[in-house]
Amino acid sequence: MTSFAEPVDALSGRLAEVDGRIADAARAAGRDPSAITRIVVTKFHPVSLVEQLYDLGVRDVGENRQQEFSAKADEAASLSGLRWHFIGQAQTNKARAIRAAAAAVHSVDRARLADALHAAAEPDAARLDVLLQVNLTDDHGRGGVDAAGLESLAAHAAALPSLRVRGIMAVAPLDVPPAQAFERLPSLSQTVRSVVPDAEWISAGMTADFAEAIAAGATHLRIGSAITGPRPQRG
Ligand SMILES: *Cc1c(COP(=O)(O)O)cnc(C)c1O
């Protein structure tokens, strides 16, 4: 076996460091680190970064804007087994483009969007994994369905045969400590599971708060800058 030391560049160093912190947080919470999916959010970065991440073993990447999502997924189409997660606000008229590239859509926050994603299915398409984005704030204008509307959204989406409801997604509000905001995740998850019993995914946790999200039961982390480095300025 050859034993050339790999040059540990900045990207692989950050990836390993974050994965170490994920494993530590999981163990501290009595959870199995291998049950947690780390999605690398590559928004604003060129597709070459996605290719570098792929070479480092990353298979789950996330984007929050449809045009960038579609363009990068297209450019990186040769990277087999790479899963694209759509994590941003989605317009219904972009549902077809999103569905064409997405392994999972984390940001389903209204019945009309679920309907549009369902209507965008090709006739023999596999079911699309979707998560219901929940608003953790009291500000109704923020992204996500309010807790009071979560159960009916779950029932609506669960009735659409080309979608598979996998769980919930949330973004921590800026004005509350993340651990406090994430305390609501287990009961919100339970609300969805009362409709779809195996919808166990909880997508929560970003660079600033992934340890708190893991403590609250997150199964899918969406981590950008801690791994990619600072995002380039958008032109
Ligand atoms: C950008 C983004 C992330 C990642 O943010 P970082 O702070 O860079 O880790 C996670 N989730 C969503 C919805 C995002 O838009």
Side-chain angles (χ1 to χ4, degrees), residues 41 43 64 87-88 169 171 205-208 222-226 231:
V41 178
K43 65 190 184 197
N64 71 335
I87 62 173
M169 182 275 230
V171 178
M206 313 180 9
T207 288
R222 308 177 312 269
I223 303 179
S225 46
R231 282 186 274 278

Side-chain angles (χ1 to χ4, degrees), residues 57-198:
V58 170
R59 291 296 178 270
D60 292 276
V61 292
E63 289 285 335
N64 71 335
R65 291 170 195 236
Q66 177 271 321
Q67 276 192 318
E68 188 177 355
F69 176 77
S70 298
K72 281 187 200 166
D74 204 38
E75 286 176 82
S78 66
L79 305 180
S80 74
L82 184 63
R83 290 176 291 272
W84 289 88
H85 297 255
F86 189 77
I87 62 173
Q89 298 227 336
Q91 292 171 264
T92 51
N93 65 353
K94 299 294 162 53
R96 189 166 300 275
I98 292 168
R99 179 150 194 160
V105 177
H106 291 229
S107 41
V108 173
D109 58 358
R110 59 201 191 279
R112 280 192 55 229
L113 178 58
D115 289 340
L117 288 167
H118 172 60
E122 298 292 333
D124 53 358
R127 284 201 294 168
L128 174 68
D129 286 336
V130 297
L131 294 96
L132 309 179
Q133 184 177 351
V134 203
N135 180 3
L136 296 180
T137 76
D138 297 324
D139 175 353
H140 300 293
R142 298 290 293 273
V145 64
D146 292 332
L150 181 59
E151 186 172 343
S152 66
L153 179 59
H156 186 96
L160 300 170
S162 80
L163 304 185
R164 181 172 181 193
V165 176
R166 300 306 300 253
I168 58 169
M169 182 275 230
V171 178
L174 294 172
D175 53 351
V176 182
Q180 187 184 323
F182 289 153
E183 274 172 10
R184 299 172 64 190
L185 293 177
S187 77
L188 293 165
S189 171
Q190 181 52 47
T191 297
V192 173
R193 282 182 290 136
S194 73
V195 180
V196 183
D198 68 350

